[in-house]
Amino acid sequence: NKEKQIQLQTSMETRIEELLKQTNLTAESANTLADALKNRGKVHGDWSERVLEEILEESGLREGVEFEKQSVVRGEEEANMRPDVIIHFPEGKNMIIDSKASLTAYTDALEAQTDEQRREAVKRHCESIRRHVKELTDKRYQNYVDNAMPYVLMFIPNEGAYVMALNENPRLLQEAYRQGVIIVNPTNLMMTLHLVLIAWQQTRQEDNCRRIIEDATKMYEKMITVVDSFTTMGAQLSTVSTTYNRAMGQLAEGRGNLLRQMEGLKELGVTSTKKRAVSNSRKKLAATDEDESETELKGEN
């Protein structure tokens, strides 16, 4: 009916407006990224480092534990060197990441007006990457970072720039690897960091299992010690009880005990009004123990 048609038309108009808004936002984001890529020098480098930081934040690795940023390393002639990131592996090895790759020629290729301009910019882009590989090789970070792996990860923060360079020179990765440099894009880097995270998680699980076993062993050994102590205590109490009973029999309760002999002195004229305060204490204690035993047996029945 007409009412439903009006509702459908209104819904479609609303959806179109939302899509237009989203398109405008996407265009603005693209323009912002393009402006960032056009910048030269430090601004460009800061953007590249920021992309690397965001990947590290999402990796699950912890700064100061599994990785370090801008650590000072002593190079030749005591010169200070600052690798962008050092990744720590569980077994003690370290992996170096450098993110200072230039994308100036890449943006020039995207903005080229002619095929010739584009081809020239693409060649400059590949040469820029090769120069940076050479710079990393010359820095020799691996020689100055303790337990460093024999290569450096050269991070290109833009997937398009990575693909463009490989399309122009498919052997670029092999050339860099022979110089101790592995070129990675954001996807490759995220996969690498995820593998590092898995290695750390497995190591922590193994450490936890080992600690549980060690603690359980200590608890078991402590329990054995406590049981031995109670066994010794029981034997000592049994010895004390036997000695006590024998002494009481000799003193006051056994046949011919000392107290009975002393009482015989009264017949010889010894006068005393002193009497035993509790003459049958042990009998009463024994009776109490028997009553408690009978009560426990009744309860069990």
Side-chain angles (χ1 to χ4, degrees):
N1 56 27
K2 185 175 181 180
E3 183 177 355
K4 288 185 177 180
Q5 290 179 350
I6 294 174
Q7 291 178 350
L8 179 60
Q9 182 177 357
T10 302
S11 177
M12 291 180 63
E13 290 175 351
T14 302
R15 181 57 179 163
I16 291 172
E17 289 178 358
E18 291 177 353
L19 290 173
L20 288 174
K21 290 180 182 179
Q22 186 64 37
T23 301
N24 291 333
L25 290 174
T26 303
E28 291 176 3
S29 300
N31 291 334
T32 301
L33 176 60
D35 290 340
L37 293 176
K38 289 178 185 177
N39 287 319
R40 303 298 188 262
K42 188 175 186 302
V43 175
H44 190 176
D46 289 346
W47 177 79
S48 178
E49 291 179 9
R50 181 54 191 162
V51 174
L52 176 58
E53 289 179 359
E54 290 178 352
I55 293 177
L56 287 169
E57 291 172 358
E58 296 295 327
S59 70
L61 300 177
R62 298 168 296 176
E63 183 176 359
V65 180
E66 289 89 17
F67 72 91
E68 308 284 346
K69 293 192 302 185
Q70 299 292 332
S71 299
V72 177
V73 178
R74 293 292 184 183
E76 293 182 351
E77 299 179 357
E78 299 299 320
N80 289 339
M81 306 174 69
R82 290 181 179 270
D84 289 334
V85 176
I86 298 177
I87 303 293
H88 303 308
F89 281 75
E91 65 271 19
K93 286 289 187 178
N94 294 310
M95 181 175 65
I96 302 164
I97 303 176
D98 185 275
S99 65
K100 297 181 180 66
S102 174
L103 300 180
T104 301
Y106 168 69
T107 56
D108 291 342
L110 295 180
E111 297 175 348
Q113 300 298 317
T114 64
D115 290 342
E116 183 179 355
Q117 290 177 346
R118 184 181 183 280
R119 286 194 296 269
E120 188 273 335
V122 171
K123 289 182 179 179
R124 285 193 290 109
H125 176 54
C126 284
E127 287 302 317
S128 174
I129 292 177
R130 295 178 71 179
R131 281 196 304 272
H132 192 60
V133 169
K134 181 63 168 56
E135 291 174 1
L136 288 178
T137 303
D138 293 340
K139 285 182 178 179
R140 294 181 295 176
Y141 282 133
Q142 305 96 313
N143 295 346
Y144 308 110
V145 175
D146 293 338
N147 297 320
M149 294 182 176
Y151 50 79
V152 175
L153 298 190
M154 174 180 159
F155 175 59
I156 297 179
N158 183 276
E159 301 282 353
Y162 178 85
V163 173
M164 179 184 288
L166 293 187
N167 287 338
E168 175 66 17
N169 183 2
R171 298 185 58 82
L172 187 60
L173 295 181
Q174 290 85 343
E175 293 175 3
Y177 183 77
R178 285 197 294 268
Q179 301 178 62
V181 177
I182 297 178
I183 303 174
V184 296
N185 58 6
T187 300
N188 293 338
L189 181 59
M190 285 188 287
M191 292 176 61
T192 301
L193 296 180
H194 185 64
L195 292 176
V196 176
L197 178 63
I198 291 175
W200 274 108
Q201 289 174 338
Q202 291 177 342
T203 299
R204 294 191 190 104
Q205 289 176 354
E206 291 173 359
D207 290 342
N208 290 340
C209 290
R210 184 164 52 251
R211 290 179 60 185
I212 290 172
I213 293 174
E214 291 175 353
D215 291 344
T217 301
K218 292 178 181 178
M219 292 174 64
Y220 176 78
E221 292 175 349
K222 179 62 69 176
M223 177 61 69
I224 293 297
T225 301
V226 172
V227 171
D228 289 344
S229 297
F230 271 98
T231 301
T232 302
M233 186 187 302
Q236 293 173 345
L237 289 175
S238 177
T239 300
V240 170
S241 177
T242 301
T243 304
Y244 171 79
N245 291 333
R246 185 169 58 250
M248 283 298 296
Q250 295 170 350
L251 181 63
E253 297 177 358
R255 181 181 299 175
N257 64 73
L258 182 59
L259 182 59
R260 182 175 298 177
Q261 295 179 32
M262 294 295 292
E263 288 178 348
L265 295 176
K266 292 182 179 180
E267 298 176 0
L268 301 177
V270 175
T271 59
S272 174
T273 59
K274 188 70 173 179
K275 294 182 179 181
R276 293 180 63 185
V278 182
S279 60
N280 296 321
S281 58
R282 294 176 69 239
K283 293 181 180 180
K284 293 180 180 179
L285 180 59
T288 301
D289 293 339
E290 291 178 357
D291 293 341
E292 290 178 353
S293 299
E294 291 178 359
T295 302
E296 292 177 357
L297 290 174
K298 291 178 180 180
E300 292 176 357
N301 295 332

